[in-house]
Amino acid sequence: MDMGYIDEFAARLGLQFWPERVPRHVAIVMDGNGRWARRQGLERSAGHRRGVEALENIVIGCRKLGVEYLTVYAFSTENWSRPKAEVGTLMNLLSEFADKKLNRLKENHVRVQVIGDFAGLPLLQRMALKHLMEATAVEDKLVLNLALNYGGRADILQAVKKAAALPPARLQTMTEEDFAGLLQTAGQPEPDLLIRTSGELRLSNFLLWQLAYAEFYFTDTLWPDFDEAELFRAICAYQGRSRRFGALSEE
Ligand code: FPP
C-alpha cells in the first residue's frame, strides 16, 4: 500500500479512503474497447491496444492501493466467435503483453496466473504465458489472474468432474469450501468487488461461483478510459457498501 499515492488521489477526488477496508480481491470485466475505438474513428483493434495500456495502469493502481488479487476477463470462451482478424489481434496483444510487460510486472512484484482453458489457446500464446507465469512465480504483492478462454460454467463443470473422481466418502462430506478448492481460483479469496465498464449490466459467464457475495460496481466509462482515478472511485464506492453476506447488519 502506497499512502502517498492514496492521499494524493483522496485529496484530488475529494473522497475518503479507508486503508483497512481495501477489497482483497477485485474482478473486472474490461468492456467497451470496440466502442471506444469507433468513437475515435479508429479500428476496433486500436481499442484493444488501448485496453492493454489501461490494464497495465490498473494493475499498478491495484498494487498501490493494497489489493492482493486482481482477476480480469481478457478473453471469454465466447470471444472465439468474433471475426477471425479480431481474435488474431487479441491473441497478438496477449503474447505481446506477456513479452513486453514482464519487467514492469516483476518490478511491481506482480505474479501472473491464467484461469481458463489454457490448452485451448494457440501454441505461441501458451509459450509466452508459460514464460510469464514462471518468471513471475516468486512475486508476492499482487496476483494477476488473466481469465483467458474462460467461462464460469466451464470452471464449475471442470470442478464437478474433479469432484466426481473423488472417493464417495469424500464427495458425500464435501463442503462449499472444499468445492471452491477445485475451481481455477483455488486457494484465493473470493472477489470482494466486481467492476464492469461501458455501461453493460451483465455477468457474461464470469466467475459465477466466486462472485456469489461480491459487491457490483458498474460505470459507463469505456475500458480504455478506465484509469487509476476511476479505480480509486470504484474502491471508495465499495468501501461505502454494507456487506452482510445474508445476515443482518451490525449497526
Ligand atoms: C471487451 O470490449 C473487451 C474484450 C473482449 C477483450 C478485453 C481485452 C483487453 C482489455 C486487452 C487484452 C488483454 C490482454 C491481457 C492482452 P469489446 O470489444 O467487447 O468492446 P465493445 O463492447 O465496445 O465492442
Side-chain angles (χ1 to χ4, degrees), residues 89-101 124-126 128-129:
T89 296
L90 286 165
M91 289 301 141
N92 286 341
L93 284 173
L94 183 58
S95 45
E96 202 178 302
F97 175 85
D99 295 338
K100 295 206 176 141
K101 305 300 181 194
L124 185 71
Q125 280 65 33
R126 288 205 308 270
L129 287 165

Side-chain angles (χ1 to χ4, degrees), residues 61-116:
C62 280
R63 165 85 171 79
K64 290 182 174 163
L65 297 176
V67 172
E68 295 168 64
Y69 298 85
L70 171 64
T71 302
V72 294
Y73 212 178
F75 196 87
S76 74
T77 45
E78 289 75 30
N79 286 152
W80 295 111
S81 56
R82 293 197 175 196
K84 217 172 150 203
E86 182 164 347
V87 171
T89 296
L90 286 165
M91 289 301 141
N92 286 341
L93 284 173
L94 183 58
S95 45
E96 202 178 302
F97 175 85
D99 295 338
K100 295 206 176 141
K101 305 300 181 194
L102 171 61
N103 288 340
R104 185 115 202 265
L105 291 166
K106 278 190 78 69
E107 274 162 29
N108 283 281
H109 306 290
V110 178
R111 173 178 187 179
V112 181
Q113 298 191 333
V114 172
I115 59 168

Side-chain angles (χ1 to χ4, degrees), residues 121-244:
L121 292 170
L123 179 64
L124 185 71
Q125 280 65 33
R126 288 205 308 270
M127 281 166 54
L129 287 165
K130 193 161 172 281
H131 180 246
L132 179 65
M133 288 189 281
E134 284 168 3
T136 59
V138 293
E139 306 304 340
D140 59 358
K141 290 287 186 269
L142 173 72
V143 171
L144 171 63
N145 290 317
L146 296 176
L148 291 167
N149 201 12
Y150 181 85
R153 289 180 179 173
D155 192 3
I156 293 170
L157 186 58
Q158 65 81 30
V160 166
K161 288 177 182 171
K162 280 187 206 155
L166 292 171
R170 278 193 59 198
L171 190 54
Q172 281 301 321
T173 56
M174 175 171 276
T175 62
E176 291 183 2
E177 208 183 334
D178 296 333
F179 186 79
L182 302 176
L183 295 167
Q184 295 195 295
T185 47
Q188 304 185 0
E190 286 175 10
D192 303 291
L193 169 64
L194 169 80
I195 298 172
R196 183 163 189 158
T197 57
S198 90
E200 304 293 347
L201 310 177
R202 289 188 295 277
L203 215 40
S204 300
N205 201 17
F206 193 39
L207 301 172
L208 295 179
W209 172 286
Q210 296 90 332
L211 289 170
Y213 285 102
E215 294 291 330
F216 286 15
Y217 179 88
F218 296 106
T219 171
D220 287 338
T221 302
L222 303 175
W223 177 251
D225 290 328
F226 192 86
D227 58 11
E228 289 165 81
E230 295 271 349
L231 174 69
F232 195 89
R233 271 193 209 98
I235 291 185
C236 288
Y238 162 85
Q239 294 186 333
R241 305 268 178 95
S242 153
R243 301 188 77 197
R244 295 188 294 276

